[in-house]
Amino acid sequence: DTAVSQTPKYLVTQMGNDKSIKCEQNLGHDTMYWYKQDSKKFLKIMFSYNNKELIINETVPNRFSPKSPDKAHLNLHINSLELGDSAVYFCASSQDWGGGDTQYFGPGTRLTVL
Amino acid sequence: GQQLNQNPQSMFIQEGEDVSMNCTSSSIFNTWLWYKQDPGEGPVLLIALYKAGELTSNGRLTAQFGITRKDSFLNISASIPSDVGIYFCAGQLIMNRDDKIIFGKGTRLHILP
């Protein structure tokens, strides 16, 4: 009965590799997000999708490409991984877009790039 | 999945009043984080707590890491209109091979004119 799930929980990989993180929500929400949490615990929004359409695309390297096959899924693909990509990545969802609705966060994916 | 109990879910207060909200869990954490989200923005880190019993202030905000490591409190003194938003707590445990972070569902703060 998990509301927002992410896989994998841990991801350790070499520089230059390509990897994907998957996110699924079973709440029937229309909006999903990807955040990056840095070592100082700050959360930076990366992308937001509303009904499978890209709404927010912050200044993120184009090595990061989100994909939303349906509104219950928002996957994050990262090409040519760099050391600075190491962080915890959170997926979240909310009923609607605009920040007025509570966001439900996933458990996070800890990415370590060696 | 496991959730933190964040209370209250919603608050309506008068400008100038003090605000108190809390998060509780059946699990222990070694880090507590408090974030605030404004409409259309991502959550912004307000206070990070790393030690049981720790009391930390950030302007009019004060947060405490509960001595049992299962709870945390956030207080806002003399509220002003820009305090409106959703406040999230997050508990994090990094210990040996265990690494988890769990977010509360948020406390929505409304300030009445």
Side-chain angles (χ1 to χ4, degrees):
Chain A
D1 60 348
T2 304
V4 182
S5 59
Q6 293 178 229
T7 54
K9 183 175 180 181
Y10 301 99
L11 185 52
V12 181
T13 188
Q14 299 284 339
M15 279 178 55
N17 284 349
D18 303 338
K19 291 293 179 185
S20 291
I21 308 172
K22 296 184 177 181
C23 179
E24 177 181 1
Q25 54 95 3
N26 62 6
L27 297 166
H29 288 167
D30 288 339
T31 307
M32 296 184 72
Y33 311 80
W34 275 110
Y35 291 92
K36 179 181 180 181
Q37 185 192 46
D38 63 22
S39 58
K40 295 184 177 181
K41 311 300 183 185
F42 290 98
L43 277 178
K44 177 183 176 183
I45 190 167
M46 301 174 69
F47 302 101
S48 174
Y49 269 71
N50 182 258
N51 276 316
K52 301 195 303 175
E53 290 189 19
L54 182 64
I55 300 297
I56 295 175
N57 182 1
E58 293 295 320
T59 306
V60 175
N62 57 16
R63 298 182 294 104
F64 291 79
S65 54
K67 287 184 170 53
S68 183
D70 55 62
K71 71 175 192 177
H73 296 83
L74 181 62
N75 304 323
L76 183 64
H77 188 75
I78 315 170
N79 289 326
S80 302
L81 279 156
E82 300 177 357
L83 292 177
D85 297 333
S86 295
V88 181
Y89 292 83
F90 288 97
C91 175
S93 73
S94 64
Q95 183 59 53
D96 205 347
W97 179 75
D101 292 310
T102 292
Q103 293 190 17
Y104 291 72
F105 286 84
T109 295
R110 184 175 291 278
L111 171 64
T112 303
V113 182
L114 304 174
Chain B
Q2 187 177 2
Q3 293 282 346
L4 296 183
N5 297 314
Q6 185 169 352
N7 291 296
Q9 292 184 11
S10 187
M11 300 182 72
F12 291 83
I13 63 167
Q14 297 284 345
E15 183 178 348
E17 287 185 15
D18 296 343
V19 174
S20 185
M21 60 190 79
N22 67 78
C23 279
T24 61
S25 173
S26 57
S27 304
I28 62 170
F29 296 104
N30 51 24
T31 299
W32 281 98
L33 308 168
W34 285 93
Y35 295 88
K36 183 199 175 195
Q37 184 177 22
D38 292 324
E41 306 286 336
V44 173
L45 181 67
L46 298 174
I47 294 176
L49 303 160
Y50 298 102
K51 186 177 177 182
E54 180 182 354
L55 184 70
T56 297
S57 293
N58 178 3
R60 293 177 296 105
L61 277 61
T62 302
Q64 184 161 24
F65 193 137
I67 197 72
T68 65
R69 298 170 61 191
K70 295 182 180 180
D71 56 9
S72 180
F73 303 84
L74 175 70
N75 295 319
I76 306 172
S77 62
S79 59
I80 59 177
S82 61
D83 291 334
V84 167
I86 302 176
Y87 292 79
F88 290 96
C89 66
Q92 186 168 14
L93 179 68
I94 301 177
M95 182 182 291
N96 299 325
R97 292 183 177 274
D98 200 355
D99 178 0
K100 64 180 179 184
I101 182 167
I102 303 171
F103 282 82
K105 292 185 179 179
T107 293
R108 188 187 301 275
L109 180 63
H110 305 267
I111 296 183
L112 302 172

